[in-house]
Amino acid sequence: MSSKAAPGRAIVTFSRSWQALAAVRSLGGHGVEVITGDEIALTPGGLSKHSIDSFVYPNPAADPEGFLDALDEAIERFRPAPGVPYVLVPVHRETYLIARHRQRFESRIALALAPAETIDQVRDKGRLVEIARQAGVETPRTWAPESAAELERLRGESEPPVLVKVRSGVAGVGIERVDEAGRLVEVFERLAAGLGPDDKPPIVQQLVPGEDYCVSALFDSGEPRAVLTYRNLRTIVEGAPGAVRRSVEAPAPEAAAIRLLEALDWHGIAEVDFMWTGREEDAAYLIEVNPRLFGGLFQAIASNVDYPWMLFRLALGEPVEPPADVDLQITTEAPVLGFLATLREAAESATRWTSLERAWDEATEHLAQGELGAGIDSLLAGLREDLEGDDRLAAIRALLDERETTVSQLFAGDDPKAAIGLLYPLTVFLRHGKISAGSLVGAEPVDPEAGSKRA
């Protein structure tokens, strides 16, 4: 590990994700020594030049005690010299577990995180509706039936189209649209059947007009320090992180988000989703709160709202001032998501992936040796054989090569090894023949062999 003086050291979890890679690059760019962790060994964040070391931990949902023990051990193993700032930056679902057990860690490592009780309130979509109404924030009309029988009695009120939502789902997992009244109870029962004994039943929400606006914010004990809104212009599956995003002005959603987070006395990062028509006279309807680092983090950083660096300083108790020159002309892309979108389209056809699977081993050998170009070429060669006579290969090449008008979050010219992170979602695709929002953001089980054979 590096011995040069640094402004501090940070541990960043869930390093397979785009937001973790953005955080690693942000902190590393400020001279912070970054340690990365994940369930798998071969990740974009871990392979970034800014990650000085990494560790593997058990799945936080399947083995919470194992995860906490592994994190505890990593905090001790990577502890810097006395007096050097040391910050924990949780990224995904492990954020909730860390919040509940923060007393176990915060005497040895700093973190800027809302209390677990506050996080639990916004994670529960039904409870969030109640809090929003008390804060004067508009929400879609919502029903919270205790049973399918109660929902049956409400069916005359809750006319489709509606969304049935598991209360604590992430990345669009556990949300299903219902367009026919006859399917409402069936969908409710199916989603309820997958819940644990202590989970409340799903809620039902009416669809509202508008488009999705994502308001990101950093708060210091109830006081806003930075706010940026962006829109997802393209996604590959509903609920997944955006493949192309753009920063926008959105006064109505931003005002509503600030009211909500002030009412919660929020501390740390949050991203609040709204449906809004874009007209100032129209209400912005609250959809959900993401109480952690979010999929569009790279978009915010590219727009000069450097949340990871501000979060690092906030954790240390340093003053954090709002950025003075936010750039609202920025569009960013995640080229790997575009690559996967084309694979998904091909997967829905009768294509057999024999050549691509053969190319897989060759590509991973190249990529493990840092030969990015050769690895990508191997994958494309396998695709060429499997898609012979199909114009989707050209689309794949275009998605990888045409990045002239957008900022690419993975293929950074000065940090190319992070692109090896393509292997994780591609492994999921090859093994399971599908790509979902949950698989991309870790809301579904990870194949224990994925990304670890040659790590």
Side-chain angles (χ1 to χ4, degrees):
M1 289 189 290
S2 172
S3 59
K4 67 179 181 179
R9 181 172 293 177
I11 291 179
V12 176
T13 57
F14 199 64
S15 58
R16 85 189 70 161
S17 66
W18 318 120
Q19 57 263 48
L21 176 60
V24 169
R25 285 174 169 170
S26 163
L27 295 173
H30 287 282
V32 176
E33 296 177 337
V34 183
I35 309 296
T36 50
D38 203 301
E39 298 168 52
I40 56 177
L42 202 62
T43 67
L47 290 160
S48 168
K49 70 176 185 178
H50 298 292
S51 174
I52 65 169
D53 213 328
S54 61
F55 64 102
V56 175
Y57 52 68
N59 182 292
D63 184 7
E65 284 303 320
F67 167 79
L68 292 169
D69 288 344
L71 180 60
D72 210 340
E73 191 275 333
I75 288 171
E76 288 303 310
R77 176 155 53 107
F78 297 113
R79 177 185 294 280
V84 176
Y86 194 24
V87 175
L88 174 60
V89 183
V91 171
H92 194 47
R93 290 188 302 172
E94 70 280 0
T95 300
Y96 316 137
L97 188 58
I98 290 169
R100 289 197 296 273
H101 296 271
R102 64 190 307 153
Q103 291 183 340
R104 178 171 175 174
F105 307 112
E106 59 188 355
S107 64
R108 294 170 293 146
I109 191 168
L111 66 162
L113 196 59
E117 298 79 10
T118 306
I119 291 176
D120 287 342
Q121 287 183 9
V122 301
R123 286 187 69 204
D124 183 327
K125 294 178 175 64
R127 177 68 179 127
L128 177 60
V129 168
E130 298 172 10
I131 295 169
R133 289 171 178 167
Q134 293 169 7
V137 174
E138 293 281 356
T139 66
R141 191 176 182 190
T142 303
W143 297 267
E146 291 296 325
S147 65
E150 183 179 343
L151 178 59
E152 184 71 50
R153 292 193 295 271
L154 293 171
R155 191 159 61 169
E157 299 179 39
S158 53
E159 285 296 324
V162 296
L163 295 173
V164 183
K165 298 182 175 183
V166 171
R167 287 173 175 254
S168 59
V170 296
V173 177
I175 298 178
E176 189 163 336
R177 174 172 172 152
V178 177
D179 291 302
E180 301 171 11
R183 293 191 60 243
L184 181 56
V185 171
E186 172 231 320
V187 171
F188 178 89
E189 289 182 322
R190 174 155 41 80
L191 290 179
L195 300 175
D198 298 326
D199 293 327
K200 294 181 180 180
I203 63 171
V204 178
Q205 282 192 329
Q206 202 121 48
L207 263 69
V208 291
E211 297 177 315
D212 187 32
Y213 284 77
C214 306
V215 182
S216 62
L218 179 81
F219 269 62
D220 181 357
S221 300
E223 296 289 332
R225 288 291 176 261
V227 178
L228 178 81
T229 302
Y230 64 91
R231 294 197 55 222
N232 292 322
L233 305 183
R234 185 189 184 208
T235 58
I236 69 168
V237 289
E238 187 174 353
V244 180
R245 311 177 191 92
R246 179 177 298 152
S247 298
V248 296
E249 291 188 35
E254 288 182 6
I258 290 171
R259 282 200 306 275
L260 177 69
L261 295 173
E262 285 177 339
L264 288 162
D265 196 29
W266 195 260
H267 188 71
I269 286 280
E271 185 264 312
V272 190
D273 286 339
F274 290 88
M275 289 297 289
W276 185 47
T277 63
R279 297 189 296 267
E280 284 194 49
E281 64 271 21
D282 290 345
Y285 292 91
L286 172 68
I287 302 302
E288 65 179 5
V289 175
N290 185 350
R292 49 182 171 77
L293 292 180
F294 48 95
L297 182 61
F298 183 85
Q299 175 70 32
I301 296 170
S303 299
N304 202 39
V305 184
D306 194 347
Y307 284 124
W309 177 236
M310 288 189 287
L311 191 68
F312 183 87
R313 297 183 62 203
L314 182 64
L316 298 173
E318 298 177 3
V320 177
E321 297 299 327
D325 52 348
V326 177
D327 189 346
L328 294 178
Q329 306 302 313
I330 292 293
T331 300
T332 64
E333 68 161 342
V336 170
L337 293 182
F339 180 91
L340 292 172
T342 306
L343 287 181
R344 180 172 62 89
E345 293 167 5
E348 292 169 355
S349 70
T351 302
R352 297 183 63 186
W353 296 101
T354 52
S355 296
L356 182 57
E357 290 186 5
R358 286 199 305 270
W360 170 255
D361 284 335
E362 181 181 345
T364 51
E365 291 287 357
H366 286 302
L367 292 170
Q369 295 171 27
E371 299 168 353
L372 174 61
I376 296 296
D377 285 346
S378 294
L379 291 175
L380 288 172
L383 283 168
R384 181 181 295 109
E385 292 182 32
D386 283 333
L387 299 177
E388 186 175 357
D390 193 315
D391 61 6
R392 283 172 294 203
L393 181 64
I396 292 172
R397 285 193 183 279
L399 286 164
L400 289 174
D401 295 338
E402 293 180 5
R403 299 186 299 276
E404 297 175 0
T405 59
T406 58
V407 179
S408 166
Q409 71 182 76
L410 190 62
F411 293 95
D414 64 343
D415 193 22
K417 285 184 68 177
I420 299 175
L422 166 67
L423 297 186
Y424 168 70
L426 187 55
T427 298
V428 173
F429 173 80
L430 286 175
R431 290 182 182 277
H432 304 293
K434 66 177 183 177
I435 298 166
S436 68
S439 64
L440 285 172
V441 301
E444 293 175 0
V446 175
D447 184 332
E449 296 182 2
S452 63
K453 287 185 177 180
R454 296 179 176 86

